[in-house]
Amino acid sequence: MCRERKIMLAAILCGMVYNIFLDCVSIGADYEGEIAAASAVVMAEDGSCVYEKNADEPRLVASTTKLMTALVAIEASKPDDPIEVRAECCGIEGTSMYLSPGEILTADELIEGLLLASGNDAAEALAVGLCGSEEAFVARMNEKAAALGLEHTAFINPHGLDAEGHRSTARDLAKLMLCCMQNERFAHITAMRDCVIDDKSYVNHNKLLERCEGCIGGKTGYTRAAGRCLVSCCEREGTRFVCVTLDDPDDWNDHCKLYDEAFAAWENRLAVSASERYEIPVAAGERQIAAAVPERELRLFLPKEEKLTYIHELPRFVYAPVHAGNCAGRVIVLRGGEAAGEVKLVFTEDVARAA
């Protein structure tokens, strides 16, 4: 096959990669029956789904709302920004930091109270302190939801107390959690077991931090109408998942079970290593060989037993001069005959033309 046809084939294969992970697959045929949740999803960090149950059904989501509250607050503040607690933010029903009017806390202290203690008053204090009103802050929450492609999500308040039209889905919350965990401030705070703010101690409501191997964060939620809601993130041996259960009376156990099944079946595999080395003959050069390496590593989220195949597009030889950093070819990774990704190969050093 001539080089032009090879390049055309590579382009066609690369265009197929975007569709590889669109379909969700069940971890086990009988496993769904063991899950008590009304809605659930397990999603890998690349956005692919390995388990779902009514994942696109809009529901009340209680205090898991505060994931978006935290993300918007983090993007609108610096950690040490002072925020004065206004009187209208105190005495909100439900879980609380027990803030007092006129009290001044930093943005991150309020976010700690928001995520660990699930403080409804902290949510209001952040909303009013950062945007001037709850309405303005909620508008930002919905703008962020739209930007993240959360098609079935709408927020009416920053704390998650039941309200007409306030809703999300298991899939949308999983996408949101993946985004949140990419933020260093959020990831640090959600992993805290406890904190002390103004001599008050707060303990993280997320019991999975202790009960589930590899749990690195999450958010609980509960109202009588919404039931028990839980969003969590877990990482083992370089593979990361998020799990969401809505209206689940056995959420702690369900998350542990779902994670154990997911990690047993799937992995974040190193498909192309940046340390791989290829040697390409050089014609009319000061040296006869030019080395080439992958421009970057490539990892793919795969079932552990799945085999990969490769297409190595390399020239039989190149003419000098050769310049470091120039393209030397590419490696295309195939799953079941379809492209799953590719990496460009680059020359590592110059090779001058022979005198």
Side-chain angles (χ1 to χ4, degrees):
M1 183 183 293
C2 69
R3 179 168 178 78
E4 288 76 15
R5 291 184 65 189
K6 286 183 179 179
I7 293 173
M8 183 176 295
L9 172 62
I12 294 171
L13 290 171
C14 291
M16 299 165 64
V17 68
Y18 299 102
N19 295 321
I20 288 176
F21 292 127
L22 292 183
D23 295 327
C24 292
V25 295
S26 176
I27 292 173
D30 299 326
Y31 198 64
E32 181 172 328
E34 300 176 20
I35 297 301
S39 299
V41 71
V42 179
M43 188 176 289
E45 60 184 319
D46 69 351
S48 54
C49 169
V50 300
Y51 176 86
E52 67 170 280
K53 177 182 178 183
N54 301 325
D56 295 313
E57 182 179 287
R59 307 186 63 84
L60 293 169
V61 294
S63 284
T64 60
T65 296
K66 295 180 174 106
L67 295 172
M68 182 63 84
T69 306
L71 184 60
V72 170
I74 286 170
E75 292 180 349
S77 69
K78 296 179 181 178
D80 295 328
D81 282 351
I83 296 176
E84 182 175 352
V85 179
R86 299 187 187 178
E88 63 265 31
C89 302
C90 301
I92 308 297
E93 66 174 292
T95 50
S96 181
M97 279 188 76
Y98 303 102
L99 298 173
S100 302
E103 189 175 359
I104 298 177
L105 283 76
T106 67
D108 272 11
E109 286 175 333
L110 285 172
I111 295 168
E112 289 169 13
L114 177 82
L115 292 178
L116 274 65
S118 200
N120 293 338
D121 51 355
E124 286 288 336
L126 285 164
V128 175
L130 293 174
C131 290
S133 69
E134 178 188 277
E135 292 75 16
F137 188 88
V138 170
R140 286 202 189 184
M141 293 172 67
N142 287 313
E143 289 170 5
K144 187 67 177 180
L148 293 177
L150 309 186
E151 298 180 355
H152 305 292
T153 296
F155 298 110
I156 303 300
N157 60 59
H159 39 65
L161 291 175
D162 300 336
E164 183 70 28
H166 191 101
R167 65 186 185 276
S168 189
T169 67
R171 195 186 313 277
D172 278 3
L173 287 175
K175 293 178 181 178
L176 173 58
M177 185 61 171
L178 287 176
C179 178
C180 287
M181 291 302 295
Q182 293 174 359
N183 185 286
E184 291 184 4
R185 280 171 69 188
F186 180 96
H188 170 73
I189 293 173
T190 193
M192 297 171 64
R193 303 293 181 92
D194 52 52
C195 66
V196 177
I197 302 170
D198 285 347
D199 297 325
K200 297 177 184 176
S201 296
Y202 302 95
V203 176
N204 198 324
H205 289 186
N206 179 16
K207 296 180 181 179
L208 288 180
L209 291 171
E210 297 178 354
R211 294 187 180 187
C212 182
E213 176 191 352
C215 182
I216 54 175
K219 184 70 195 74
T220 60
Y222 174 80
T223 67
R224 182 173 297 180
R228 292 178 61 88
C229 302
L230 181 61
V231 179
S232 66
C233 181
C234 192
E235 183 173 314
R236 300 176 191 172
E237 298 180 353
T239 300
R240 178 180 290 189
F241 292 100
V242 297
C243 180
V244 180
T245 53
L246 302 177
D247 192 8
D248 186 353
D250 196 24
D251 50 7
W252 304 124
N253 288 327
D254 282 345
H255 277 238
C256 291
K257 292 175 185 177
L258 285 166
Y259 280 133
D260 285 346
E261 292 283 347
F263 284 112
W266 298 79
E267 65 180 347
N268 184 16
R269 189 185 306 173
L270 181 62
V272 177
S273 170
S275 64
E276 294 176 10
R277 179 183 172 90
Y278 301 84
E279 294 185 343
I280 301 172
V282 179
E286 289 184 343
R287 293 194 305 278
Q288 295 181 336
I289 296 294
V293 298
E295 187 177 44
R296 58 180 176 83
E297 72 173 25
L298 174 66
R299 288 187 172 272
L300 295 175
F301 180 71
L302 303 165
K304 289 186 175 180
E305 294 77 16
E306 184 167 349
K307 303 296 183 182
L308 298 174
T309 55
Y310 295 82
I311 295 175
H312 295 87
E313 284 196 345
L314 293 167
R316 286 182 297 173
F317 67 91
V318 294
Y319 286 103
V322 173
H323 300 289
N326 280 2
C327 180
R330 70 190 70 208
V331 178
I332 303 171
V333 185
L334 306 178
R335 295 182 63 192
E338 297 185 342
E342 70 169 66
V343 179
K344 183 170 74 173
L345 301 175
V346 295
F347 290 109
T348 62
E349 55 188 352
D350 296 336
V351 178
R353 186 182 300 274

